[in-house]
Amino acid sequence: MTQSLLSQAIADYAQQTETFLASRLAGLAAPHRLVSAMRHGSLNGGKRLRPLLVRQSAALFGVAPEKSLATGAALELVHCYSLVHDDLPDMDNDEMRRGKPTVWKAFDPALAILAGDALLTEAFALLSDPQTHPDPAIRAELVAALSLGARQMVEGQVLDIEGETAALDEEAIFKMQALKTGALIRTGAEMGAILGQADHKQRAELLRYGVSAGLAFQIADDILDVTASSAQLGKTAGKDAAQNKSTIVALRGIDAAREILNGAVAQGLQALEQFGTEADMLRALIRHFATREN
Amino acid sequence: MTQSLLSQAIADYAQQTETFLASRLAGLAAPHRLVSAMRHGSLNGGKRLRPLLVRQSAALFGVAPEKSLATGAALELVHCYSLVHDDLPDMDNDEMRRGKPTVWKAFDPALAILAGDALLTEAFALLSDPQTHPDPAIRAELVAALSLGARQMVEGQVLDIEGETAALDEEAIFKMQALKTGALIRTGAEMGAILGQADHKQRAELLRYGVSAGLAFQIADDILDVTASSAQLGKTAGKDAAQNKSTIVALRGIDAAREILNGAVAQGLQALEQFGTEADMLRALIRHFATREN
């Protein structure tokens, strides 16, 4: 798969996810300011890579794209809520995201806390909605997978904050990143396997792919934080060093980080070996995670 | 049912809920500080009235107490998360709750945000756990009911904050309170109906009871805020007036509020008319909501 075909597929599905989320939020009979803040925190032109992972994993088992859209959107809502809370003054104190004021800056911190809570809540409302999947057993399984991933993400955020005051060793950094960023990416692959009713072995391999994809994504992020400009990233570059974050790049340097990144890509590709050309998009995706420039 | 029998039943079930939650949190393989903050925010000797509502509603249909414990605990986790976030400096800025420092005061605001997020997430993890209920259709329905209640609670919180700067009229106050406090109480009755696989009419009546119980609970709370001491309440008294909160008591005075309270109790009792003595505890409970002194 060429890079431009992949970029097109990413952009197309991001648009579909954005449209789905916009329609879902438009249907909420909630106070105007709350819905505005929820929209601000979720309809932000994100790349929607996690929903794409759900879609492409489900597609391996013949699930039609529109059948995985709601599930991917629920996962994205969890990602969005975490950013809304992450940006708060008491957390990272970020004023800009994707070239726009963050939710607390555009509204106020109290509303940003509540809007984040509501986005997280809405993720589970969406998954438990019969329109998302007709089989309640699948809905319950999706809720279980997403709640586990969402909790692991929070665990990673706590370890990340602890890493600002105490230097983490390599093992602790890998653990923190596998939770903070990796958990939701792995959950994307897992939710696709659930939608596709994958067998035990297929599901295990997709999970392995998801773990590798999460690692590749995070290491690439850490490298970009050092090598890219703020304009390129759409967020403040050099933040990790400024905040004294424990990263593999800080600990081992860029060359070693690139080697680990290449290793993660190789492992992810290996996990897909049992699949044929139907997994080509997942293969292109993990390569893209490693080579992306923003 | 005598008042002392009810008090004993409340205390007993509160203890069972506390033990269940303690055991569930002890099983989390999460960073120590996160689990400590989650424990601090949830194992606080609360009265656990919402889990009791789940239990007593389910008991109408012959569901054994231990079969509704996990569901009630999930509902309580949502209540607990909302208090953890409510107390934050950017929200109510409360330093004490039940005679102990609030979570942000005992730890720090960032951890309180994350611990609240994790408690909310854990509620859905618990409901989607096959050990909570063997039937996935019931699990999915419980998730749908709880996510709706949790979102409505947030809507009420937003309206409540708006009521601090713009005077709400009576209708707006009732709406705000029905969402902020009423939604989770109504959800308790609803989850009991789901566990008991109540028929349509029974479920509708239990919902009606839950709405009345929520109203009674909130009006009693507003009256106590004016008439009780901080020591009696275990939290700061007179807060509503100090924060310029819109309440029925502030708008209509204490006597009118007491009348509305009595009307809510009468409506709640009427909704239970189709049930026999098996609903006596629910009857005692709504009377207790109206006459409690803390």
Side-chain angles (χ1 to χ4, degrees):
Chain A
M1 167 158 309
T2 67
Q3 200 64 34
S4 79
L5 254 181
L6 177 71
S7 301
Q8 192 55 50
I10 291 176
D12 282 353
Y13 203 62
Q15 188 54 55
Q16 287 182 52
T17 301
E18 186 105 1
T19 303
F20 180 91
L21 284 173
S23 148
R24 177 91 190 173
L25 293 179
L28 287 188
H32 176 72
R33 277 185 81 234
L34 177 61
V35 176
S36 297
M38 290 173 76
R39 290 176 56 90
H40 192 99
S42 59
L43 306 179
N44 49 17
K47 292 187 289 286
R48 316 300 186 185
L49 294 172
R50 291 161 191 79
L52 187 58
L53 266 173
V54 175
R55 174 193 166 154
Q56 291 303 331
S57 302
L60 294 181
F61 310 99
V63 177
E66 69 276 13
K67 300 275 184 195
S68 46
L69 192 54
T71 300
L75 175 61
E76 187 69 9
L77 285 173
V78 172
H79 176 57
C80 292
Y81 114 77
S82 77
L83 300 180
V84 172
H85 280 186
D86 246 1
D87 289 335
L88 283 165
D90 283 330
M91 302 274 289
D92 282 355
N93 194 25
D94 262 316
E95 301 192 355
M96 298 292 281
R97 176 172 294 277
R98 298 190 172 282
K100 284 195 312 179
T102 50
V103 176
W104 74 266
K105 192 76 188 166
F107 298 87
D108 59 65
L111 193 62
I113 292 167
L114 291 168
D117 293 344
L119 288 168
L120 173 58
T121 302
E122 194 54 22
F124 293 107
L126 184 49
L127 284 188
S128 60
D129 188 329
Q131 287 185 25
T132 293
H133 200 287
D135 182 348
I138 300 250
R139 297 202 297 277
E141 208 178 337
L142 289 170
V143 170
L146 185 58
S147 57
L148 177 64
R151 201 195 65 224
Q152 292 176 327
M153 176 187 67
V154 171
E155 292 175 21
Q157 289 172 294
V158 171
L159 295 178
D160 190 28
I161 291 173
E162 289 177 357
E164 290 173 22
T165 50
L168 302 181
D169 63 19
E170 191 166 327
E171 194 188 327
I173 293 173
F174 278 127
K175 186 185 168 189
M176 178 270 284
Q177 294 188 337
L179 292 166
K180 189 183 72 147
T181 319
L184 284 196
I185 290 176
R186 188 214 63 221
T187 300
E190 189 175 11
M191 289 171 108
I194 293 170
L195 285 172
Q197 299 183 262
D199 67 29
H200 184 76
K201 180 163 186 298
Q202 293 165 326
R203 184 162 168 169
E205 293 292 54
L206 267 175
L207 275 177
R208 213 154 66 84
Y209 166 82
V211 168
S212 300
L215 178 60
F217 187 88
Q218 180 61 53
I219 304 264
D221 215 54
D222 294 343
I223 293 174
L224 283 171
D225 186 74
V226 174
T227 58
S229 68
S230 298
Q232 212 175 340
L233 293 180
K235 61 182 182 184
T236 317
K239 261 177 57 181
D240 293 344
Q243 292 182 350
N244 201 27
K245 293 259 182 201
S246 296
T247 70
I248 291 296
V249 174
L251 195 72
R252 299 275 310 272
I254 289 205
D255 289 346
R258 280 202 214 280
E259 249 177 68
I260 296 166
L261 173 55
N262 293 335
V265 173
Q267 278 188 357
L269 294 173
Q270 205 228 322
L272 297 175
E273 262 177 8
Q274 67 175 306
F275 300 103
T277 53
E278 71 276 15
D280 278 355
M281 182 74 93
L282 287 177
R283 295 184 181 100
L285 205 52
I286 192 170
R287 286 199 192 97
H288 169 73
F289 280 4
T291 54
R292 70 202 170 91
E293 290 176 349
N294 61 52
Chain B
M1 167 158 307
T2 67
Q3 200 64 34
S4 79
L5 254 179
L6 177 72
S7 301
Q8 191 55 49
I10 291 177
D12 282 355
Y13 203 62
Q15 186 55 55
Q16 287 181 51
T17 300
E18 185 104 3
T19 303
F20 180 91
L21 284 172
S23 148
R24 177 89 190 175
L25 294 179
L28 287 187
H32 176 73
R33 274 185 83 234
L34 176 62
V35 176
S36 297
M38 291 173 76
R39 290 176 55 89
H40 193 98
S42 59
L43 307 177
N44 50 17
K47 292 189 288 288
R48 318 300 187 186
L49 294 172
R50 292 161 191 79
L52 186 59
L53 266 173
V54 175
R55 173 193 167 156
Q56 292 301 332
S57 302
L60 294 181
F61 311 98
V63 176
E66 68 275 14
K67 300 276 184 196
S68 47
L69 192 54
T71 300
L75 176 60
E76 187 69 10
L77 285 173
V78 172
H79 175 56
C80 293
Y81 114 77
S82 76
L83 300 180
V84 172
H85 280 186
D86 247 359
D87 289 336
L88 282 165
D90 283 331
M91 302 274 288
D92 282 355
N93 194 24
D94 262 317
E95 300 191 354
M96 298 291 281
R97 179 173 289 279
R98 299 191 171 281
K100 285 196 312 182
T102 49
V103 175
W104 74 265
K105 192 74 187 167
F107 298 87
D108 59 65
L111 192 62
I113 293 166
L114 292 168
D117 294 343
L119 288 169
L120 173 58
T121 303
E122 193 55 21
F124 294 106
L126 184 50
L127 283 189
S128 60
D129 187 330
Q131 287 185 26
T132 293
H133 200 287
D135 181 349
I138 301 252
R139 297 201 297 276
E141 208 178 336
L142 290 170
V143 170
L146 184 58
S147 57
L148 177 64
R151 201 197 64 223
Q152 291 177 327
M153 177 187 67
V154 171
E155 292 174 22
Q157 290 173 295
V158 171
L159 295 178
D160 190 30
I161 291 173
E162 290 177 359
E164 291 172 23
T165 50
L168 303 182
D169 63 18
E170 192 166 324
E171 194 189 326
I173 294 174
F174 278 127
K175 186 185 169 191
M176 178 269 284
Q177 294 188 338
L179 293 166
K180 189 183 73 146
T181 319
L184 284 196
I185 290 177
R186 187 212 66 221
T187 300
E190 188 174 13
M191 290 171 108
I194 294 170
L195 285 171
Q197 298 182 263
D199 66 31
H200 184 73
K201 181 163 185 299
Q202 293 165 328
R203 184 160 167 170
E205 293 293 54
L206 268 175
L207 276 177
R208 214 155 64 84
Y209 165 82
V211 169
S212 301
L215 178 59
F217 187 89
Q218 181 61 54
I219 304 264
D221 215 53
D222 294 343
I223 293 175
L224 283 171
D225 187 73
V226 174
T227 59
S229 67
S230 298
Q232 214 175 339
L233 293 180
K235 62 181 181 184
T236 316
K239 261 178 55 183
D240 292 344
Q243 292 182 352
N244 201 25
K245 292 259 181 202
S246 295
T247 71
I248 291 294
V249 174
L251 195 71
R252 299 274 310 274
I254 288 204
D255 289 345
R258 278 199 216 281
E259 249 177 68
I260 296 167
L261 174 55
N262 293 335
V265 173
Q267 279 189 356
L269 294 174
Q270 205 227 323
L272 297 176
E273 262 177 7
Q274 67 174 306
F275 300 104
T277 53
E278 70 276 15
D280 279 355
M281 181 75 91
L282 287 177
R283 296 186 181 100
L285 205 53
I286 191 170
R287 286 198 194 97
H288 169 73
F289 280 5
T291 54
R292 68 202 172 92
E293 292 175 349
N294 62 49

